[in-house]
Amino acid sequence: MKTVNFVRMTLPAKSVNEAYARVAAAALASQVDPTIEQMADIKTAVSEAVTNAIVHAYRGQEGGLVYITMRLMEDGSFIVSVRDRGCGIGDVRQAREPCFTTAPSEERSGMGFSIMEAFMDKLQVRSAPGRGTTVTMTKRLGR
Ligand SMILES: Nc1ncnc2c1ncn2[C@@H]1O[C@H](COP(=O)(O)OP(=O)(O)OP(=O)(O)O)[C@@H](O)[C@H]1O
Ligand SMILES: [Mg+2]
Protein backbone atom coordinates (compact mmCIF):
# COMPACT_ATOMS: atom_id res chain seq x y z
CA MET A 1 0.00 0.00 0.00
CA LYS A 2 1.36 3.40 -1.00
CA THR A 3 1.99 6.11 1.60
CA VAL A 4 0.59 9.43 0.37
CA ASN A 5 1.85 11.57 3.23
CA PHE A 6 3.69 11.06 6.51
CA VAL A 7 5.01 12.90 9.56
CA ARG A 8 7.76 11.78 11.94
CA MET A 9 8.27 13.51 15.25
CA THR A 10 10.55 13.08 18.23
CA LEU A 11 9.30 14.69 21.42
CA PRO A 12 10.56 14.80 25.01
CA ALA A 13 8.38 12.58 27.23
CA LYS A 14 6.77 15.53 28.97
CA SER A 15 3.07 15.91 29.66
CA VAL A 16 2.84 19.18 27.68
CA ASN A 17 3.62 17.21 24.53
CA GLU A 18 0.51 15.04 24.75
CA ALA A 19 -1.52 17.96 23.38
CA TYR A 20 1.05 18.57 20.67
CA ALA A 21 0.84 14.98 19.43
CA ARG A 22 -2.95 15.10 19.48
CA VAL A 23 -3.11 18.24 17.37
CA ALA A 24 -0.48 16.92 14.93
CA ALA A 25 -2.50 13.72 14.44
CA ALA A 26 -5.65 15.73 13.76
CA ALA A 27 -3.83 17.98 11.30
CA LEU A 28 -2.57 15.04 9.25
CA ALA A 29 -5.83 13.08 9.40
CA SER A 30 -7.81 16.13 8.25
CA GLN A 31 -6.14 15.83 4.82
CA VAL A 32 -8.38 12.87 3.90
CA ASP A 33 -11.72 14.39 4.87
CA PRO A 34 -12.56 12.33 7.97
CA THR A 35 -15.87 12.58 9.81
CA ILE A 36 -15.92 14.53 13.06
CA GLU A 37 -16.29 11.27 14.93
CA GLN A 38 -13.29 9.65 13.18
CA MET A 39 -11.24 12.73 13.97
CA ALA A 40 -12.21 12.59 17.65
CA ASP A 41 -11.40 8.86 17.79
CA ILE A 42 -7.91 9.39 16.36
CA LYS A 43 -7.14 12.25 18.71
CA THR A 44 -8.24 10.24 21.72
CA ALA A 45 -6.33 7.10 20.72
CA VAL A 46 -3.11 8.98 19.96
CA SER A 47 -3.45 10.85 23.20
CA GLU A 48 -3.76 7.58 25.19
CA ALA A 49 -0.69 6.05 23.52
CA VAL A 50 1.45 9.14 23.99
CA THR A 51 0.29 9.58 27.58
CA ASN A 52 1.37 6.00 28.31
CA ALA A 53 4.84 6.68 26.92
CA ILE A 54 5.03 9.83 29.02
CA VAL A 55 3.73 8.45 32.33
CA HIS A 56 4.82 4.79 32.31
CA ALA A 57 7.85 4.31 30.05
CA TYR A 58 10.42 6.56 31.67
CA ARG A 59 9.38 6.38 35.30
CA GLY A 60 12.03 8.19 37.33
CA GLN A 61 14.31 8.71 34.35
CA GLU A 62 15.19 12.08 32.86
CA GLY A 63 15.48 12.81 29.16
CA GLY A 64 13.20 10.13 27.72
CA LEU A 65 11.95 10.60 24.16
CA VAL A 66 8.76 9.62 22.37
CA TYR A 67 8.98 8.78 18.65
CA ILE A 68 5.80 9.19 16.64
CA THR A 69 5.27 8.24 13.00
CA MET A 70 1.95 8.92 11.29
CA ARG A 71 1.05 7.89 7.76
CA LEU A 72 -1.83 8.48 5.39
CA MET A 73 -2.21 5.60 2.98
CA GLU A 74 -3.63 5.52 -0.54
CA ASP A 75 -6.82 3.76 0.63
CA GLY A 76 -7.55 6.48 3.21
CA SER A 77 -6.09 4.59 6.18
CA PHE A 78 -4.33 6.49 8.93
CA ILE A 79 -1.51 4.56 10.59
CA VAL A 80 0.21 5.87 13.70
CA SER A 81 3.02 4.35 15.71
CA VAL A 82 4.13 5.62 19.10
CA ARG A 83 7.47 4.29 20.29
CA ASP A 84 9.53 4.75 23.43
CA ARG A 85 12.79 3.34 24.67
CA GLY A 86 11.59 3.02 28.24
CA CYS A 87 11.02 0.21 30.72
CA GLY A 88 8.87 -1.94 28.43
CA ILE A 89 5.93 -4.15 29.38
CA GLY A 90 6.51 -7.65 30.78
CA ASP A 91 3.08 -9.07 29.97
CA VAL A 92 1.40 -7.26 27.08
CA ARG A 93 -1.73 -9.43 27.20
CA GLN A 94 -2.33 -8.53 30.82
CA ALA A 95 -1.56 -4.83 30.19
CA ARG A 96 -4.19 -4.74 27.42
CA GLU A 97 -6.95 -6.06 29.67
CA PRO A 98 -9.61 -3.54 30.69
CA CYS A 99 -8.96 -2.04 34.13
CA PHE A 100 -5.41 -3.39 34.41
CA THR A 101 -3.04 -0.70 35.65
CA THR A 102 0.28 -0.64 37.47
CA ALA A 103 -0.44 2.88 38.73
CA PRO A 104 -3.76 2.72 40.63
CA SER A 105 -2.51 5.21 43.21
CA GLU A 106 -2.24 7.85 40.50
CA GLU A 107 -5.95 7.46 39.72
CA ARG A 108 -5.28 5.67 36.45
CA SER A 109 -8.17 3.48 35.46
CA GLY A 110 -6.32 1.03 33.22
CA MET A 111 -8.53 1.84 30.24
CA GLY A 112 -5.96 3.32 27.86
CA PHE A 113 -5.39 0.23 25.71
CA SER A 114 -9.12 -0.61 25.72
CA ILE A 115 -9.89 2.88 24.44
CA MET A 116 -7.25 2.59 21.69
CA GLU A 117 -8.67 -0.78 20.68
CA ALA A 118 -12.26 0.49 20.64
CA PHE A 119 -11.59 3.72 18.76
CA MET A 120 -9.22 2.39 16.11
CA ASP A 121 -9.66 -0.50 13.66
CA LYS A 122 -6.43 -2.22 14.65
CA LEU A 123 -4.06 -2.07 17.64
CA GLN A 124 -0.69 -3.78 17.86
CA VAL A 125 1.55 -3.59 20.94
CA ARG A 126 5.16 -4.72 20.76
CA SER A 127 7.25 -4.49 23.88
CA ALA A 128 10.29 -5.93 25.58
CA PRO A 129 11.28 -5.28 29.21
CA GLY A 130 14.14 -2.81 29.36
CA ARG A 131 13.97 -2.07 25.63
CA GLY A 132 10.77 -0.09 25.20
CA THR A 133 7.36 -0.27 23.63
CA THR A 134 5.87 0.35 20.20
CA VAL A 135 2.12 0.84 19.81
CA THR A 136 0.81 0.81 16.23
CA MET A 137 -2.77 1.71 15.39
CA THR A 138 -4.69 1.86 12.12
CA LYS A 139 -7.98 3.46 11.22
CA ARG A 140 -9.74 3.73 7.88
CA LEU A 141 -10.96 7.29 7.31
CA GLY A 142 -13.48 8.85 5.00
CA ARG A 143 -17.22 8.72 4.49
N1 LIG B 1 4.65 2.80 26.98
C1 LIG B 1 4.57 2.04 28.09
N2 LIG B 1 5.69 1.69 28.79
C2 LIG B 1 5.62 0.92 29.89
N3 LIG B 1 4.46 0.44 30.40
C3 LIG B 1 3.32 0.74 29.76
C4 LIG B 1 3.30 1.56 28.58
N4 LIG B 1 2.01 1.67 28.16
C5 LIG B 1 1.26 0.98 29.02
N5 LIG B 1 2.03 0.41 30.00
C6 LIG B 1 1.56 -0.49 31.09
O1 LIG B 1 0.28 -1.00 30.73
C7 LIG B 1 -0.67 -0.68 31.74
C8 LIG B 1 -2.03 -0.47 31.10
O2 LIG B 1 -2.02 0.70 30.26
P1 LIG B 1 -3.40 1.48 30.03
O3 LIG B 1 -3.14 2.68 29.20
O4 LIG B 1 -4.43 0.51 29.55
O5 LIG B 1 -3.84 1.90 31.51
P2 LIG B 1 -3.17 3.03 32.45
O6 LIG B 1 -2.27 3.91 31.67
O7 LIG B 1 -2.61 2.35 33.65
O8 LIG B 1 -4.48 3.86 32.89
P3 LIG B 1 -5.27 4.95 32.01
O9 LIG B 1 -4.76 4.83 30.59
O10 LIG B 1 -6.72 4.54 32.12
O11 LIG B 1 -4.96 6.25 32.63
C9 LIG B 1 -0.09 0.53 32.46
O12 LIG B 1 -0.57 0.63 33.79
C10 LIG B 1 1.41 0.23 32.41
O13 LIG B 1 1.78 -0.69 33.43
MG1 LIG C 1 -2.84 4.75 29.86
Side-chain angles (χ1 to χ4, degrees):
M1 179 70 59
K2 235 172 95 183
T3 300
V4 292
N5 201 2
F6 72 93
V7 174
R8 301 191 71 163
M9 308 192 288
T10 303
L11 305 168
K14 293 180 188 294
S15 57
V16 288
N17 284 330
E18 180 265 320
Y20 192 92
R22 204 181 150 87
V23 170
L28 185 65
S30 69
Q31 295 176 3
V32 289
D33 196 24
T35 65
I36 288 168
E37 197 189 350
Q38 289 168 348
M39 195 77 137
D41 289 354
I42 280 185
K43 284 161 79 176
T44 303
V46 167
S47 158
E48 290 294 336
V50 172
T51 299
N52 278 353
I54 292 168
V55 305
H56 299 298
Y58 299 107
R59 208 156 267 273
Q61 272 176 265
E62 281 291 304
L65 298 172
V66 183
Y67 308 87
I68 304 171
T69 303
M70 301 182 287
R71 292 175 194 287
L72 285 179
M73 310 305 286
E74 209 172 29
D75 70 350
S77 297
F78 176 91
I79 305 176
V80 53
S81 82
V82 178
R83 181 168 68 92
D84 65 68
R85 294 180 181 280
C87 63
I89 301 171
D91 185 341
V92 169
R93 230 172 71 166
Q94 181 184 47
R96 286 179 65 154
E97 270 174 23
C99 303
F100 177 85
T101 181
T102 51
S105 59
E106 292 158 38
E107 296 186 12
R108 303 240 150 243
S109 55
M111 291 307 289
F113 281 131
S114 303
I115 289 168
M116 292 179 232
E117 191 150 25
F119 287 12
M120 302 295 276
D121 295 334
K122 201 170 131 194
L123 167 69
Q124 182 187 61
V125 183
R126 289 217 176 113
S127 192
R131 309 255 319 260
T133 301
T134 304
V135 172
T136 305
M137 300 179 281
T138 304
K139 191 176 181 73
R140 185 78 173 263
L141 302 181
R143 293 148 212 264

